[in-house]
Structure formats: structure tokens, C-alpha cells
Amino acid sequence: MRRPLARRITALVAAGLLLPALAACGSDDDTSTAGEGGDSTLVIYSGRNEKLVKPLLDKLEKAVGTKVEVRYGDSAELAAQILEEGERTKAGLFFSQDAGALGALSKEGMLKKLPQSSLDGVDEAYRGGDGDWVGLSGRVRVIAYNPDDLTEDQVPDSVHDVVKPQWKGKVGFAPTNASFQAFVTGMRVLEGDDATREWLTDLKANGAKTYAHNLATLDAIEAGEVSLGLVNHYYWYERVAEKGEDKVNAKLHFLPGGDPGALINVAGAGILKDSGQTEAAQKAVDHLLSEEAQTYFADKTKEYPLAAGVTSTVEGLPPFESLESPDIDLGKLDSLQETLAMLQDVGLV
Amino acid sequence: MNTTASTAPPAGADAPAGRRRVRAARGATSDAGRRPPLVLLVPACAAALFALLPLGYLAVRALERGPAFAWDVVADERTLALLGRSLGLTVVVVAACLVLGVSLAWLTVRTALPGARAWSVLATLPLAVPSYVAAFAWLAAEPDLAGFGGAALALTLVSFPYVLLPVAAALRGTDPALEEAARSLGHGPLRTFWRVTLPQLRPSAAGGALLVALYVLSDFGAVSLMRYDTFTRAIHTSYRASFDRTPAAALSVVLVVMTVTLVAAEARTRGRAGHARTGSGTARPAAALPLGRWRPVALLWCAAVAAVAVVFPLATLGYWLAAGTSATWDLPLLTDTALATLGVAAAGAALTTVLALPVGVIAARHKGRGARLLEQSAYAGHALPGITVALSLVFFAVRYAYPLYQKLPLLVGAYAVLFLPVAVAATRAAVLQAPPVLEDVARSLGRRPWQVLREVTVPLAAPGVAAGAALTFVVCMKELPATLLLRPTGMDTLATRLWTETGAGSFAAAAPYAATLILLAAVPSYLLGRHRP
């Protein structure tokens, strides 16, 4: 009985050794120019999910005029990778899920200042303070609710209301979600640490239920586990895409009056200074700000386009101008460490 | 079995110096004092150095802002709390894995359990389930499981085969004569099991438990889904929160210290026990113990474990496939991804096995500080989160091996660093079961050390080493964080596709990749379950 297993596994291993060798031969030709050959290839590190942005980035080659390679990953991990790569980074462009990761590269001086012409199209509130990154699409915090339980007028207009006794055990949220944490950071910036800590303590004491992510929160609303959920607006549309509109019951409530619960965060991009691909990366940024790309964000990822002159086409989504989001400098959302410490103190993560 | 050893002509012409012959003739276990031959020592040291790369990186990063800053991070009271949480989870999971692993191994190997073979295969299959898929399945079914209980459950159900496999192998390898003697002296079956069988299983159970412990310490997927804050999760959070690698590195150093402590504790537990028979190696199977009226209970136990560890995650995947509209079978993409996964995992398993071989042989055959240090080095990085190992390889490759950066060899190297202990443990156990007297005979016949290795040790240990390779192959297939950072741009494995699809929130679209991953990983797991050395 000894030989067969050993032999089978040896064969498997040998086959396995051959495969990547073959694959390497095949792919070496394509990648050999990356990173070192100046502008012949643009390498994009995309912290945005492949499912969401691949069609958009696939079209980029034509707009940029050089070969484009995209490396998909997690925004935070890719930022850490670029920091570790330093001057020898392969990335020409970093396309990030959130402002924080771009801020980290900016802080280390790894990003190139964008030309004014690129920056001008986007509201100052949604770009890097040093002009070295630009927001491409906007995502809004909302309260989702179950219309079987309550009418829209009954849904709180402020996150401060969800800690009231009437919502005891009826609120769901995702404490480990980056957007939730950005919202808490925003609350700290707007209302101070003491008020935020108190709100978090009240939220927990009020029996709010925690979920792994926004989608799970939405599902809990659907299942009747909770009546309200603190989520990002586009997840609702993702659920509709996944299940079909007739099967999604929950509805969204956009908060008025500059409530911290209505924070707008952005996904954006920055050009790596040292990559030798700045020209192509510049063209890519301009393309991502073009009407075509901005319309893509509106239609496909259901986010808000940020370039001037493009409006969302999604049915039922309130116009961007009508959102009463809090007035906050996104650059100040980089104190995430303190937010996490607070969440840990309160016992939410 | 010994054909390889006897076909080569004796190397009489270059007979070794008399001194060596005298030493070899001193007896079967006289290797303790001898320095390992260079043919083992040099590659073993190379493997150990390779495995220590992450530590070098951690030292650089942790001390970047001075020891005071690193100490502040480590001495924070939260660090102690995290340590407690991580250790608590580890203890519970290891204990549960020991109960599941030892009981199932004993039932399937030593008793007249109906369908023992099928049960042993079934009990190995959970290896094929990635921890994040298991956690996901449980959470989807029961959201209230989140927390310690859920994390412990998911981790136990995917890692108990780490105990089951070596214990089952040891049960088959040990001489039943001892137990029969105990029975003939009037001990009942339970007492015999407790007093005679179990002590013989201690080294293999401890080795498996160590792998489980290190796996729990390094796991990110299950604990993050279950929202149970452990050290590894805190390290991830630290990267995420501040994009600052210094605190993460300082915390990782604590994890390394924990690993070394655990490895040392395991070495103490297993003591000097080896279980090679002194005879020629004729395997006499133990008589199957009749279960009598315990038969239904035993069957129920096996069925329950199979149901929660195998049937349940598969059924959940099936449900996702059936329920979601985004479940599309993109066959060409799925095939490409599956082939790429098999390729890198096989290459990873091959490199890991080759690197582990000299370390495992030394660990089995040589005692003393040097041998222990080598083995511990191989384990040092194993409890580190994949992202830390990946970033350390980014660091080294960008500086010293730029042409390899984001190429396959680096990814394969990362697998070797991450999973070296899995292969070392298997090699060590396999070599321990091979009677050292055969090596001594070969040496006394004038074989040089590398000839002894090639003609005696490796052929004797081959089945165990192959089993270790299969196990490494499975864990490489499931690896996610290092693969994400180090894969060549544009390459995907089933795990990264799975990550992409769930990241977009479409569980149904992820299901085909999860199902394929589990099915493919089930093949080597199946072979391991059927494996009868």
C-alpha cells in the first residue's frame, strides 16, 4: 500500500511543478516590461473590487494608449504593499476604496501632485489636501429600514435617535466595516470624542445587533431580525442585483440636516511618483474623471459621480446636491486608530 | 520496501574511516551525540534561514521608531487582553481537536466500526474546507454564533484532521503486542487504552496539537468573520487602521515569542518518545476491537462529526448555488483558476517538502541544542498572519531579488515559509517510525551520509513524507492573504476569486469557486484518509 500513494503524490507534484513553469514562460513576456520600462505599461493597484470595476478598467487601455495591467486586492493591504515597495513600486496608479489609504501614501510623500486641470472638476471636499489624490465616486451613509415594521416618517432623522429606548434591540450595524468606522471617525471630528464615546456606549447598551458587514445587516432587516440598519447606500442596490428587486424588501432613508450619520466618503485615485508611469497614470486619472467613467460609477456601482456635470442616473436615488451631508474635511478621517481604540474600549469590536 | 537499499553495490573502495564505523556500531539510538552530516546540515540551515526571513523583517520594522515605541505597543494593556483571548481560543480548539481527532482515529483504526474506511476518509475531508468558508456557512445559518463560540466551532471543525492524521498513523504503526500483554494481564479495554495505547500516541497527538495551535494563532478568516478579536486580527486591524507597519510588526513579534514557547512545550511533551519497532518492520495489524452495544453510539459520533464538518458546509454552498441569481458558472475562467491553483499549490508543496526533508530528518535523528534550534526556526514564522509573511517577502524581494518580485517563485517561496512546519512535522514523524538500526547498518557497510539518506532514510520515510506533501498541498490551495499580495499580476487562485466574489457581496457567485476549491482539495485529503502506511 505504500507505493501507490507516494507515486500518485509524486506525479501530482511533478505535474504541478511543470504547470507554473509553463505558465511562467507564458506570462513572462507580458510582464517583463512592467514597472521598469517607463511608460510602456501602466500598472494599477486596485483596492476596488474586480467585480465592480473590471469593465471600466478594461476600457482604460484605449484611453491611455499603453498596455494596462491591474492588480486587484484589499485597499489597506495594497497601501501597505506600496509602502513596503517604496521607490521601486510597480504601481503607477493606486485606485483606492477609501480616502484613508490614499492619505497614508500621501503622508509618506509617495504621491505626485495632480495637475490643476484634473482637480478642478471635483469639489474640494472630495480630494486630497495636497492635491495629490482625487475622489472619483461618492458613497453615502444611510439608515435602511423594513417598511413592514415602520413608515418612512417613523425612521429616525439622526443617528442620535437610534440610541433611544424605542429602538432597543431593533438596530443593526457592522462595527468592523471600514465605512462604519469612517462614520464614527467623522462623528468624532464633528462632535468630539466624549459625545462619540457616549453615543457608542448608548448604542451598545440599547442592544443594537452587530453584523459582519453591510450586506449581512441588510439581510437582517429583510429577515425581520432588526428594523433599522446603519449602512452605505449602494449595498441596497447590490442586494437588488443579487436577488432581484421584487425580493428586496428593505428601503433606504437619507438623513437630513448634516447629521454625522449622513457622511459622504469617497473612492479615489493617486499617481505614484516613482513608478516611471506618470504620463500614462495621468491619462488614466483623466479618463476616470471623464463622463464615460463617471456614468459607469453611477450606473454600475450605484455610487455618486464626483466630476462636475455628471449626475446619477439611478432611479430613486436622491440627487447628489440634495444630500445634506455633514461639512467635514475627508483628510481628517485619518485618525482611524483612535476610533478603533474607542470601539475596543466600548466593547464593540 | 528495502529494495533500494540493497540494489546499490557496497562502496567498499572508499570505505569510511574506522572512527565513523565504530560510532555507528554503537547502537540504534546512538545518534544523539553525533553532529548531523553536512549533507543534511547545510540544506537544513538554508531552510531555517529562509523560514526566519519574516523575523528579520519584523525586527527592522518593529524597531523602526526605536525600541521604546515598540515596547509601548507591546506593553499596552490591550496586548495582554488579546494574548488572553488568543490563548483561550487556542486552548479550547486544541482540546476539542484532540477529543475529535483521537476518538475518530481510534474508532476507525482499532475497532470493528462498520464502514471504518469510509469514516476515516470522511473525517479527513474537512481539511479541504477553508476556515473562512466554514465560518461563513455557520454565520449564514446562525448569526448569533458570532464571537468566541463561533470562532472555536469553525476552527475546530476545519483543523481536527491535523490531529486525526498523525494519531491514526501512529495507531497503525504501533505494535499491538504491548496492548495484548496488558489485556492478558487482566486490564480491561478502557484501562488498556488509557494506560498503554494513549501514552504511545502522545508524541503524534502533541505534534498535531501544535499544528492546530499555530493554525489557530495565525488564522484571520474565521476569527474576523466571527468578530472574535485575536492577536492576528489585531495585527490586521493595525495595518488597516494606520497603514503603519510598526505597531503591527511589534505585535507580530509577540506572536513569534508565543510560537517558540508552544514549540518548546510540545518538544517537552513528546519527550524522547519514538515509536519505531526494533524488528524488521513487519506490520501486524491489531485485532479490531468489537464495539458491542457501543456500536450505535460510535456510529452516531462519527455521523455527527461528518454532518457538521463536511455535509453542513457543502449543503450551505449548494443552497447558495441554488438560491442566488449571480451564481454563474464561467467555465473557462473556473478551469484556468483551478489549474493555476493546482499548479502553485503543487509547486509550493514540492518546495516545502524538499526544504522540510533535511530539517525533519535532523529533528528525528539528532538531539541536542543545534537540532532543536533548527526545528524551532522552521516553526518560528508559522503562527504569523499571512499578511505579515507576505509583506516581509515584499520587503526582501524588492531589495534583494527584484527580478523575482510578483513572479511565481516568490509566491511559492511564501508558501514554503508559511507551511514549512506542516511538512517538517510529517517528515519527522515518518523518520521516527523508520528503525534507525537500518541506517546504522548502512553506515557500517560503508555508505556515506548522503547515500544513507538516499538509500535508506528517504525510502523508508517516503510514505509519511508524501502524506506531508499532500497536506501541504491542501493548505497551499486554501491560502489567501499572501497569495493576494505576492501572486503575479493578473493571476488568480480559487481562494482569491472566492475573495473577489464575496467582496462584491455576491455569495452565490462565490459558491462555484468555493465548491471547486473544496472538491479539488478533497482529492489529496481523500488520499490522506485512505492512506495506510
Side-chain angles (χ1 to χ4, degrees), chain A residues 45 71-72 84-85 242, chain B residues 57 61 325 405 485 487:
Chain A
Y45 281 17
R71 188 175 181 81
Y72 293 96
E84 214 57 88
E85 290 172 341
E242 163 97 9
Chain B
Y57 164 80
R61 280 285 167 253
T325 52
Y405 184 52
L485 287 200
R487 68 198 158 134

Side-chain angles (χ1 to χ4, degrees), chain A residues 2 5 8 36 45 49 51 71-73 77 81 84-85 88 176 210 215 238 242 337 340 344, chain B residues 1 57 61 78 227 233 241 325-326 387 398 402 405-406 485 487 489 500-501 504-506 527 531:
Chain A
R2 288 184 176 210
L5 177 78
R8 261 179 289 177
E36 298 189 328
Y45 281 17
N49 194 284
K51 295 295 278 185
R71 188 175 181 81
Y72 293 96
E77 286 171 14
Q81 181 167 16
E84 214 57 88
E85 290 172 341
R88 302 191 83 173
T176 55
T210 56
L215 283 169
E238 269 180 31
E242 163 97 9
Q337 191 76 39
L340 282 166
Q344 272 148 4
Chain B
M1 181 170 69
Y57 164 80
R61 280 285 167 253
R78 201 178 135 246
R227 295 195 304 282
R233 192 165 161 225
T325 52
S326 59
I387 174 140
V398 163
Y402 196 65
Y405 184 52
Q406 289 183 6
L485 287 200
R487 68 198 158 134
T489 300
T500 302
E501 303 287 351
S506 34
L527 290 177
H531 179 44

Side-chain angles (χ1 to χ4, degrees), chain B residues 369-383:
Chain B
R369 186 169 302 198
R372 271 212 315 273
L373 205 64
L374 267 180
E375 196 189 0
Q376 281 164 3
S377 315
Y379 276 84
H382 194 51

Side-chain angles (χ1 to χ4, degrees), chain B residues 46-457:
Chain B
L49 280 178
F50 191 50
L52 288 174
L53 275 185
L55 264 61
Y57 164 80
L58 288 178
V60 172
R61 280 285 167 253
L63 298 175
E64 205 170 25
R65 282 193 248 153
F69 180 86
W71 178 248
D72 277 353
V73 174
V74 171
D76 192 277
E77 61 179 297
R78 201 178 135 246
T79 308
L80 198 67
L82 282 172
L83 206 63
R85 294 169 72 89
S86 275
L87 285 178
L89 184 67
T90 308
V91 167
V92 168
V93 173
V94 166
C97 284
L98 282 173
V99 170
L100 286 179
V102 174
S103 66
L104 290 172
W106 185 74
L107 281 174
T108 53
V109 174
R110 281 298 176 82
T111 69
L113 182 77
R117 266 209 138 171
W119 290 119
S120 73
V121 170
L122 262 178
T124 325
L125 288 183
L127 270 183
V129 182
S131 76
Y132 41 90
V133 172
F136 218 94
W138 284 102
L139 267 186
E142 184 51 68
D144 286 344
L145 267 177
F148 181 87
L153 179 76
L155 285 169
T156 302
L157 290 180
V158 297
S159 51
F160 75 84
Y162 283 119
V163 174
L164 172 91
L165 286 170
V167 170
L171 277 171
R172 289 187 202 105
T174 47
D175 200 328
L178 270 178
E179 288 156 49
E180 286 157 11
R183 295 295 298 278
S184 73
L185 290 171
H187 288 310
L190 254 178
R191 201 174 156 80
T192 306
F193 178 77
W194 197 252
R195 297 284 299 275
V196 181
T197 316
L198 213 50
Q200 292 186 78
L201 297 180
R202 216 175 58 183
S204 49
L210 176 66
L211 287 181
V212 173
L214 297 182
Y215 180 80
V216 172
L217 285 179
S218 69
D219 177 77
F220 172 67
V223 293
S224 94
L225 283 170
M226 289 293 182
R227 295 195 304 282
Y228 184 71
D229 218 17
T230 60
F231 235 85
T232 293
R233 192 165 161 225
I235 290 167
H236 267 263
T237 314
S238 183
Y239 282 121
R240 191 165 303 271
S242 53
F243 308 97
D244 179 354
R245 294 144 297 154
T246 309
L251 290 178
S252 300
V253 171
V254 181
L255 213 46
V256 172
V257 173
M258 268 158 89
T259 313
V260 173
T261 316
L262 276 174
V263 173
E266 187 259 351
R268 188 170 272 255
T269 304
R270 79 184 173 218
R272 312 230 139 186
H275 37 75
R277 286 183 303 274
T278 40
S280 63
T282 2
R284 181 166 62 87
L289 190 79
L291 284 165
R293 60 201 164 88
W294 290 103
R295 210 162 83 148
V297 181
L299 278 173
L300 199 68
W301 176 240
C302 293
V305 176
V308 290
V310 181
V311 179
F312 174 75
L314 287 179
T316 309
L317 283 178
Y319 169 76
W320 283 338
L321 279 174
T325 52
S326 59
T328 43
W329 291 83
D330 183 343
L331 267 182
L333 181 64
L334 193 63
T335 316
D336 281 356
T337 316
L339 283 176
T341 309
L342 289 175
V344 286
L351 178 66
T352 312
T353 307
V354 168
L355 287 176
L357 198 62
V359 183
V361 174
I362 289 181
R365 286 288 187 253
H366 299 270
K367 310 235 152 65
R369 186 169 302 198
R372 271 212 315 273
L373 205 64
L374 267 180
E375 196 189 0
Q376 281 164 3
S377 315
Y379 276 84
H382 194 51
L384 289 175
I387 174 140
T388 306
V389 173
L391 285 175
S392 72
L393 286 171
V394 169
F395 177 89
F396 282 105
V398 163
R399 278 170 184 70
Y400 310 111
Y402 196 65
L404 283 186
Y405 184 52
Q406 289 183 6
K407 297 276 161 58
L408 282 167
L410 196 68
L411 178 60
V412 172
Y415 289 152
V417 172
L418 281 166
F419 304 126
L420 195 58
V422 176
V424 168
T427 307
R428 188 184 157 278
V431 174
L432 269 182
Q433 281 202 324
V437 66
L438 294 180
E439 289 164 18
D440 292 333
V441 168
R443 269 191 290 270
S444 73
L445 288 173
R447 293 292 194 279
R448 293 171 168 278
W450 69 269
Q451 288 172 314
V452 176
L453 190 66
R454 203 192 61 189
E455 295 167 7
V456 183
T457 316

